[in-house]
Amino acid sequence: VPEQAGTERIDAGGRCVTPGFVDSHTHLVFAGHRADEFAARLTGQAYAAGGIATTVAATRAASDADLLAGARRLAAEALRSGTTTLEVKSGYGLTVEHERRSLAVAASITADHLPAVHPTFLGAHVVPAEHTADPDAYVDLVRGPMLDACAPFAQWCDVFCEDGAFDADRSRTVLQAGRDHGLRLRVHANQLGPGPGAQLAAELGADSADHLTHLTDADVDALASAGVVATLLPAAEFSTGSAYAPARRLLAAGAVLALASDCNPGTSYTTSMPFVTALACREYGLTPDEALQAATLGGAAALGLDDVGHLAPGARADLVVLDAPSPVFLAYRPGVPLTAAVVRGGRLVWSSS
Ligand code: NIG
Ligand code: FE
């Protein structure tokens, strides 16, 4: 490629250069934390979807400025570990106005020195307390006024299809309404136990089905043959102490894998894609190359993007210089900051020195 005027030269000094990480599943817009809930899990308490209500209350109570500051702080933290593209969900507002505000916050995380943000509407995260007596009334709110208010800020509609959240029929209703509002689809599926989420994602041709901790062989085949990206979230499995998703079965069936952080205060309070990559190597049995590909090109596929997640003429110059000779070091040296520099859109936006 001929060098153009104004090109910035960066000497990587023989170190490993990878595409910027594409973190295709996060919940960055929230207030407060749930450290007590995490500590209780360490003494044997199981994770349940009900914990989401704690964060909904804190998020509703937060000021616009605090909500935006929190999301930007996490986006900046993600960039420092090498993330250059970030999907961000709503889902801790759960009223028309609070969901609209969460998506407006996500959409306003725009700065050259932060990852590029792609927002997702997750009004169907759980049924909020004020609607538990009549979940169908909440589904009607989500598919009508809430989507009308939120769709202009979002690219995808997501739903938490799980016991304790939304069953298959309610999930399908929300997703079809999302599609009618011009959104593409993604699904939180088969996280806490076996269930209909993966098959629903295949039936509706979602871009991605996420979590997939508990899959039957039929689920695996349905995802692979429908071309739904299988987005695995090993840091959520780590934080909840659950089983790990059957990554090798998905690969053997021909599915495209993505790895993402799931950053949220309940099940995965990390933005670190190097940590996620290390878990995927050790717990899923991925090779370092497979894990890196899932954390970059796989994330891009899950977001329908073809210009990030790989380094080639015509792709965006989003890249990471690792303080390491090879990607093996992402798993071999877990928990240490290996990111030496981050380039986004051809410009050096962060450096450790
Ligand atoms: O992806 N599964 C649903 N949503 C989040 C957890 C949300 C929470 O506990 O606050 C997840 O794990
Ligand atoms: Fe999630």
Side-chain angles (χ1 to χ4, degrees):
V1 186
E3 192 168 306
Q4 291 170 8
T7 298
E8 191 175 359
R9 275 183 169 275
I10 301 167
D11 184 354
R15 294 171 299 182
C16 177
V17 175
T18 76
F21 294 111
V22 179
D23 187 351
S24 59
H25 182 142
T26 80
H27 308 248
L28 294 194
V29 185
F30 65 86
H33 65 75
R34 282 154 52 202
D36 291 349
E37 183 185 311
F38 177 75
R41 281 209 292 280
L42 298 177
T43 63
Q45 189 76 42
Y47 172 77
I52 293 170
T54 309
T55 302
V56 169
T59 303
R60 288 178 180 175
S63 69
D64 293 3
D66 285 350
L67 214 49
L68 180 59
R72 289 177 75 98
R73 177 181 61 78
L74 289 170
E77 182 183 280
L79 185 108
R80 291 196 297 274
S81 64
T83 297
T84 48
T85 304
L86 196 57
E87 185 261 18
V88 176
K89 301 175 199 298
S90 67
Y92 292 116
L94 309 187
T95 67
V96 171
E97 185 42 40
H98 285 106
E99 284 296 298
R100 194 204 60 78
R101 177 172 81 142
S102 293
L103 284 165
V105 163
S108 63
I109 306 173
T110 51
D112 289 348
H113 64 285
L114 295 176
V117 166
H118 298 262
T120 293
F121 168 64
L122 181 58
H125 197 183
V126 285
V127 177
E130 63 274 18
H131 286 282
T132 44
D134 189 359
D136 287 320
Y138 185 65
V139 170
D140 285 342
L141 181 71
V142 171
R143 71 172 169 161
M146 203 182 276
L147 264 164
D148 289 342
C150 293
F153 296 97
Q155 296 176 29
W156 291 273
C157 180
D158 194 347
V159 57
F160 187 13
C161 182
E162 196 85 33
D163 281 350
F166 296 86
D167 65 15
D169 287 342
R170 291 184 178 124
S171 297
R172 185 185 290 103
T173 296
V174 169
L175 292 167
Q176 279 170 340
R179 177 167 279 162
D180 290 344
H181 280 77
L183 302 179
R184 300 181 61 86
L185 309 181
R186 28 201 348 105
V187 184
H188 278 72
N190 302 59
Q191 175 184 10
L192 305 178
Q199 305 258 3
L200 182 63
E203 171 195 322
L204 296 177
D207 285 349
S208 174
D210 300 45
H211 284 285
L212 307 179
T213 305
H214 301 276
L215 293 183
T216 65
D217 289 344
D219 295 334
V220 169
D221 289 342
L223 292 168
S225 52
V228 177
V229 175
T231 299
L232 305 186
L233 309 169
E237 293 158 341
F238 173 84
S239 176
T240 56
S242 84
Y244 282 89
R248 293 238 65 97
R249 267 165 67 208
L250 284 158
L251 276 180
V256 174
L257 287 193
L259 288 170
S261 72
D262 196 18
C263 181
N264 77 79
T267 63
S268 185
Y269 200 2
T270 181
T271 54
S272 173
M273 290 295 284
F275 173 62
V276 166
T277 304
L279 285 176
C281 291
R282 198 63 277 178
E283 303 293 346
Y284 291 157
L286 298 191
T287 67
D289 284 347
E290 285 170 336
L292 179 61
Q293 178 165 325
T296 53
L297 202 55
L303 298 179
L305 300 171
D306 59 12
D307 60 343
V308 297
H310 64 125
L311 298 177
R316 283 181 63 88
D318 288 356
L319 50 93
V320 180
V321 180
L322 294 178
D323 205 356
S326 83
V328 179
F329 278 62
L330 289 168
Y332 175 47
R333 302 206 65 223
V336 296
L338 286 184
T339 311
V342 181
V343 173
R344 172 149 123 73
R347 289 184 42 217
L348 181 67
V349 290
W350 188 80
S351 145
S352 63
S353 55

